[in-house]
Amino acid sequence: MRLPPCLQSDACLIRRVEWLASSLSVLLMATAPGCVFDTSGLGSPPAPGECGDGARNGNEACDGLDLGGQTCEGLGLVGGILACTALCEYDVSACQIQPDCGNGSLDAGEQCDGQNLDGQTCEGLGLGSGSLACTTSCQLDTSGCTAAVCGDGNLDPGEQCDGQNLDGQTCEGLGLGSGSLACTTSCQLDTSGCTAAVCGDGNLDPGEQCDDGDNDSCTGTCNADCSGPVNSCGDGIRRCGEACEIGDLQGTDCTDYGFANPVGLTCTACSFDPSGCVDTCGDGVLDPYEACDDGNEAPANGSNDFCEASCTESTWPCPGSWPGYIPPVNNAEPWLTWRDIVVNGSATGYATAAAGTSISITGYYEYDNAGSGCSTCRVQLYLGFFAGDPPADPQDAFAGWQLCADFVNSTPASGFSSTISVPLQPGTYFLRWGRGWDYGCFYDISAPPATHSLAALCVY
């Protein structure tokens, strides 16, 4: 039996087998008596170049057994047997897609495995809300995700609010005072309607404990930040002009009030109370805090002894006659006070120095700007040595005012340190201070008064 030309090539093996089988059936039927061929079910074999002719042509991925050399592995699958469909497309049903897909564990190349989505969600992937799933090839299935829609009233990922749904937020809750919080068309909070709290406006805003209409911690009923009561004496915090507080004496003790014993100073009604100070200077007993005690409280002078009245200085080596000690006076003008004056290393009010040398003077002044009577005036303070009332001896170039501190009222409390020349003539001098309003800070010995003594100096 002769094959049709289209079935003579090896590429048409399957079609040849089918054609031979049908022809054999026809021959067998022809031998049977009374049999008549019924060829209505026989179709024409495919023409060359058509799908089914066993050869890949045109856009065919495959044709019959002609797979074009392709395999499951070549298609990126693990393994198995690649076949061709009747439509000349690859049939991967017999290919193995993943070796371990379906075991519930994330293996290489798997985005997920069964219920194991590796913690991923629609929201986490930025795909709105919904249900994320896993395909049979262990890849994420996002078909159940629904993208966020601003304006639907639901808070989707990335939305601070949605319409009237503000997620429970308020101006007060955001620390922005009071007012009306809103939502923008892009589902973000709109705080333009919020009004911040203002301490001192007399309104008790959210976050304020009180508001008395000012921001002064020292008057009214509320402090400066509206967080609690106004300052009160006894609260342990020194402020609002208080000299002291319980437990806070600012380093002040009884010696600042002329006592040798530093113990006993207290704070009463936020003011220093020296009533508890006890001084045993003058009883003839040398206590640990006394430098000397000669049995009296008389100051050192040229006729009796050399123990100072507060028992803090034991000797006064000054050659020649001693004219008597004039106690320091530094309160003639109460708006200016001095303390901690140290002259040539001595803090007792007495000092010695060789004529023509230089000595150091240190101390601390406190200036009451308002109490001076001219809070806007430019003030200068002067320091100098004088043998008597000014002017000093004009023949002594090293006597008189030598130190001038300008703009004292701009620094109402300050320490100072200076070097001053000692007068050329031996004798007893007094360190005095004066003030001037001359706006020049030149040493005009006739301008400042010199009645305010700070210490005595014996020049030898």
Side-chain angles (χ1 to χ4, degrees):
M1 180 168 34
R2 184 177 178 84
L3 293 173
C6 69
L7 301 180
Q8 294 180 14
S9 66
D10 292 337
C12 293
L13 179 60
I14 294 178
R15 291 297 186 182
R16 282 207 309 258
V17 172
E18 293 175 349
W19 186 84
L20 289 172
S22 63
S23 299
L24 180 59
S25 174
V26 170
L27 292 174
L28 290 175
M29 291 177 62
T31 60
C35 292
V36 180
F37 288 114
D38 181 3
T39 62
S40 61
L42 297 178
S44 300
E50 293 182 353
C51 179
D53 64 359
R56 287 189 312 115
N57 299 291
N59 295 326
E60 296 175 347
C62 57
D63 197 319
L65 297 179
D66 185 358
L67 302 178
Q70 191 60 272
T71 64
C72 292
E73 292 86 346
L75 293 176
L77 304 175
V78 176
I81 300 174
L82 184 65
C84 189
T85 68
L87 299 177
C88 293
E89 297 174 345
Y90 289 126
D91 181 3
V92 297
S93 61
C95 293
Q96 187 175 355
I97 298 176
Q98 282 285 1
D100 298 313
C101 182
N103 63 359
S105 299
L106 289 179
D107 302 305
E110 296 180 345
Q111 294 180 338
C112 55
D113 197 310
Q115 298 300 316
N116 185 351
L117 301 181
D118 194 24
Q120 297 285 8
T121 63
C122 292
E123 291 83 351
L125 294 174
L127 300 176
S129 59
S131 299
L132 195 63
C134 188
T135 66
T136 56
S137 59
C138 290
Q139 302 301 301
L140 289 173
D141 179 3
T142 61
S143 61
C145 296
T146 303
V149 177
C150 180
D152 62 359
N154 298 317
L155 285 180
D156 299 311
E159 295 181 343
Q160 295 179 338
C161 55
D162 197 310
Q164 298 301 315
N165 185 350
L166 301 181
D167 196 24
Q169 297 285 8
T170 62
C171 292
E172 292 82 351
L174 294 174
L176 301 176
S178 57
S180 300
L181 195 63
C183 189
T184 67
T185 55
S186 58
C187 290
Q188 302 300 303
L189 288 174
D190 179 5
T191 61
S192 61
C194 297
T195 302
V198 178
C199 178
D201 62 359
N203 299 316
L204 188 61
D205 301 311
E208 294 181 342
Q209 298 299 315
C210 55
D211 196 320
D212 60 1
D214 62 41
N215 55 0
D216 182 1
S217 289
C218 303
T219 61
T221 60
C222 190
N223 61 21
D225 58 9
C226 295
S227 62
V230 72
N231 173 67
S232 62
C233 180
D235 60 7
I237 303 175
R238 192 181 69 86
R239 57 190 173 189
C240 300
E242 297 170 341
C244 58
E245 265 284 358
I246 297 175
D248 183 7
L249 296 180
Q250 296 291 298
T252 306
D253 57 34
C254 289
T255 61
D256 294 293
Y257 289 84
F259 295 88
N261 186 354
V263 179
L265 185 67
T266 59
C267 186
T268 302
C270 292
S271 297
F272 291 116
D273 181 6
S275 62
C277 295
V278 177
D279 203 344
T280 59
C281 178
D283 63 358
V285 178
L286 185 64
D287 298 312
Y289 48 83
E290 295 176 335
C292 60
D293 197 319
D294 59 0
N296 65 69
E297 295 185 65
N301 54 55
S303 62
N304 54 13
D305 55 54
F306 297 99
C307 188
E308 197 265 336
S310 60
C311 297
T312 56
E313 180 66 35
S314 59
T315 59
W316 183 241
C318 185
S321 63
W322 175 247
Y325 170 65
I326 300 178
V329 176
N330 90 24
N331 59 357
E333 295 185 41
W335 45 265
L336 180 65
T337 58
W338 304 80
R339 61 181 174 86
D340 302 329
I341 305 299
V342 177
V343 179
N344 206 24
S346 172
T348 64
Y350 303 90
T352 62
T357 62
S358 296
I359 61 174
S360 64
I361 299 176
T362 62
Y364 193 91
Y365 69 80
E366 293 182 357
Y367 177 85
D368 182 1
N369 194 26
S372 70
C374 185
S375 61
T376 60
C377 290
R378 173 173 166 181
V379 179
Q380 299 85 39
L381 294 181
Y382 298 82
L383 289 177
F385 288 110
F386 291 85
D389 292 333
D393 186 350
Q395 303 302 315
D396 190 347
F398 294 108
W401 304 115
Q402 298 181 42
L403 171 66
C404 175
D406 198 5
F407 283 98
V408 171
N409 52 335
S410 66
T411 54
S414 177
F416 68 91
S417 177
S418 181
T419 300
I420 295 183
S421 298
V422 175
L424 294 176
Q425 298 93 343
T428 300
Y429 293 80
F430 297 94
L431 174 65
R432 291 174 174 168
W433 67 270
R435 65 107 177 96
W437 312 90
D438 59 7
Y439 297 86
C441 208
F442 53 85
Y443 304 122
D444 181 2
I445 62 174
S446 64
T451 59
H452 320 305
S453 299
L454 298 179
L457 177 71
C458 177
V459 177
Y460 58 89

